[in-house]
Amino acid sequence: MEPARMVGAPGGSAATLPDVSAPATTPGPAIVTSRVTKTFGHVTALSNLTVEMPAGVVGLVGANGAGKSTLIKILLGLLPPTSGEATILGMDATTQGLAIRQLVGYMPESDCLPPDVSATELVVHLARMSGLPGAAARERAADTLRHVGLYEERYRPIGGYSTGMKQRVKLAQALVHDPRLVLLDEPTNGLDPAGRDEMLDLIRRIGNDFGISVLVTSHLLGELERIADHIVVIEGGVLQRSTSTADATALSGVMVVEVTDRGPEVLARLRAAGAAVDAADDGSNLFTLTQPDEAVLDAVASVAAELGVGLVRMQRRRHHLTEMFREGAA
Amino acid sequence: MSSQPIVPAVPAQPAAAEDVIHDIGFRHYDGVRFGRGWIVRSLLVDTLRGIFGLGRPARAKVMPWILVGILLAPPLVVALVAVLTGATSLPITYTEYLSRLWLPIALFVAGSAPYAVSRDLRYGVLPLYMSRPMVRTDYVWARYGGLAIAMFLITAGPQTLLLIGALLAKMPVGDQLTGWLGGLLASAVLAVLLSAIGLVIAAFTPRRGLGVAAIITTLLVVQGISEALSRVARLQGATTWAVLAGAIDPSRLVDGLAAKILDVTPASQFAPTTGGEVAVFVLVYVVLVAGAGALLLRRYRKAGRL
């Protein structure tokens, strides 16, 4: 094991960062499904789903029962689609399940951790179950647990862990064998807001710093748009939208202005200057300008100066995916 | 790296990069990845080790090793007595041993089978296995194989101790070796059956304590019923039925098969004698093992879904 590892860091020097080498993802799309349909008796879980998901972080959004978990099982090669084809990392999900599962990690949505073993024991064992030899399994388990933020507690039985720590263990076991892609099923489930933010940060790091492609599901679009490069929305097993986050959140023509004080007066003067201002008219110090030109922007500055109030911000607003989908649905 | 020679000079050089811990980020793994066969073998060895408490906390070692001690004690005494008194034959045959020490053997399978399967079922751990390069039946085979090997070891060990005693007491080598090999065969046949039964019961009682109780209860109750039926049948003069009632008790089933096939003295007074009776015993054995296997796979077809 040792010599192989040293290749990544010649001379043991810290100057070499192994993850600088191109991300371990293929240049093409990571996941392609073509007319995938899955029915269970009378229930249709997925209907004619054709979608391409690029490498990087992809968010899969849908309500409970939208077909997200069914899609993941098909991609892992554990559930044959009723019809259609799915490829993941260029491998056919229906025939190459074993090869896929060697290079893909999976974090289940459900509770899946035995309480009487420590995180270290469990992750080492599961690394071996992915085919890693003993020494490599131990080394990578320690590394991976550290990366997900579990330190001394990893030697204690999992039974005593908080929900956040358990989610980290579930994430660690999905990463321990250095997959090229991980499928994360509702990783933020049951977490408090702070824990949710930490988990989302971690997922973003997996995609950006670790160079591992991510497919992450959630029923909340808002949290995925923060971290995903690409968003896929399904509902009732039907594809609603598949779009790059950058396109979707391009700059809008709206500018947000906030002043420290005397909001209504500023508002009145700006309106007098001919600016199209939107405000709640509740005496707040926050309002938006629609399609402001140079003159309007100058007016904002001079009005603030005249009234002696401070400008907190003048910011071009980005679209939120949420709005776009709301419009799309309407 | 550790081969660096001891250089006492230049002590204050920060260039000693090896003394500093750097966060070098997420490291990728480009070493070997073993396939399915290796993974199944690993899981089997893990199961086997875990059954004997190896790699688990001290309290997990108590029960299995107490039972192993109980199983080894009689052969040890027999061997000592044989050596000291210069006996010309063992007071117990190799196959008889399995019936005489039925209780600790049954307790061992009752303690081990739930360890092998209950935890994964109860806490939903299976998705973590199924999302790895193996298939559902691999998992079942590995768990079953580990348990069956453990069951074989705990009976083959004492039988071997008996053989050593017999050889030290200068008993005829040929006879003893034949008897011992027959004993090992009976142990293997018993291990296959008992592990299958134990695993099925454990797989349907995901709570570990309940599983232990269910297995031991089943084995002892079945034995009681079987024995009672045989006695009643004999009182009624139905000797064939008295023999056949023994087929439902795994202990007597294997004892009867071993006695007939290996031509040794049966431990039970109701051992099969006619060809028809033996055929029924063989049939019951096959049906029990195959049925248990089918039930297990069915159980995991459900549980193995993510």
Side-chain angles (χ1 to χ4, degrees), chain A residues 178-192:
Chain A
D178 187 23
R180 281 165 59 197
L181 186 148
V182 280
L183 305 169
L184 311 178
D185 203 354
E186 303 269 359
T188 56
N189 236 3
L191 298 179
D192 58 25

Side-chain angles (χ1 to χ4, degrees), chain A residues 245-304:
Chain A
T245 326
D247 293 350
T249 57
L251 292 178
S252 65
V254 176
M255 176 166 284
V256 183
V257 175
E258 189 180 354
V259 292
T260 50
D261 204 6
R262 302 167 76 175
E265 286 175 59
V266 177
L267 193 62
R269 292 201 184 201
L270 283 176
R271 282 196 171 129
V277 195
D278 254 343
D281 280 326
D282 56 357
S284 94
N285 294 323
L286 183 72
F287 40 86
T288 57
L289 303 170
T290 311
Q291 307 287 0
D293 55 17
E294 284 297 315
V296 172
L297 296 182
D298 286 346
V300 174
S302 50
V303 166

Side-chain angles (χ1 to χ4, degrees), chain A residues 307-321:
Chain A
L307 292 175
V309 299
L311 261 177
V312 179
R313 62 172 159 159
M314 289 176 71
Q315 183 183 34
R316 285 203 184 274
R317 202 169 75 178
R318 289 180 173 275
H319 278 301
H320 281 281
L321 276 171

Side-chain angles (χ1 to χ4, degrees), chain A residues 5 9 21 50 95 120 162 172 177 191 218 256 259 264 272 283 305 317:
Chain A
R5 193 161 55 81
S21 60
T50 300
T95 57
T120 299
S162 67
H177 54 298
L191 298 179
S218 173
V256 183
V259 292
R317 202 169 75 178

Side-chain angles (χ1 to χ4, degrees), chain A residues 1 4-6 12 14 17-19 24 73 76 78 98 101-104 106 108 111-117 121 125-126 128-133 136 139-140 143 146-147 173 175-178 210-212, chain B residues 1 17-18 22-36 38-40 42-43 45-46 55-57 59 119-120 123-135 138 143 208 304-306:
Chain A
M1 290 318 98
R5 193 161 55 81
M6 284 304 120
L17 294 174
D19 54 1
K73 286 173 215 168
L76 281 169
L78 294 171
L98 287 170
R101 295 201 290 276
Q102 202 158 46
L103 292 177
V104 170
Y106 168 60
D111 290 332
C112 57
L113 302 175
D116 56 343
V117 296
E121 285 171 295
H125 174 66
L126 290 169
R128 292 176 61 235
M129 292 299 103
S130 283
L132 267 57
E139 190 178 311
R140 285 205 58 87
D143 264 15
R146 186 168 50 80
H147 278 297
Q173 66 77 32
L175 292 171
V176 69
H177 54 298
D178 187 23
F210 301 0
I212 296 173
Chain B
M1 286 167 81
E18 288 164 39
H22 292 280
D23 184 3
I24 56 172
F26 187 83
R27 285 184 300 180
H28 287 290
Y29 176 73
D30 43 17
V32 59
R33 289 172 197 264
F34 291 114
R36 198 171 144 195
W38 184 88
I39 292 171
V40 173
S42 264
L43 183 58
V45 171
D46 252 41
R56 294 172 64 204
R59 65 191 146 78
R119 192 182 61 184
D120 290 349
Y123 297 105
V125 189
L126 278 163
L128 300 187
Y129 286 99
M130 295 308 117
S131 58
R132 296 188 140 72
M134 64 168 95
V135 299
D138 291 344
R143 293 299 200 193
R208 180 125 159 238
R305 293 205 189 119
L306 299 188

Side-chain angles (χ1 to χ4, degrees), chain A residues 189-236:
Chain A
N189 236 3
L191 298 179
D192 58 25
R196 188 172 287 255
D197 286 347
E198 285 170 14
M199 179 57 74
L200 291 172
D201 272 355
L202 203 47
I203 295 167
R204 180 157 40 194
R205 278 182 48 217
I206 293 170
N208 296 347
D209 301 350
F210 301 0
I212 296 173
S213 287
V214 179
L215 175 65
V216 49
T217 77
S218 173
H219 50 274
L220 298 172
L221 176 61
E223 62 179 31
L224 289 189
E225 75 176 352
R226 285 167 46 193
I227 57 162
D229 310 320
H230 192 96
I231 294 277
V232 173
V233 182
I234 56 175
E235 206 178 297

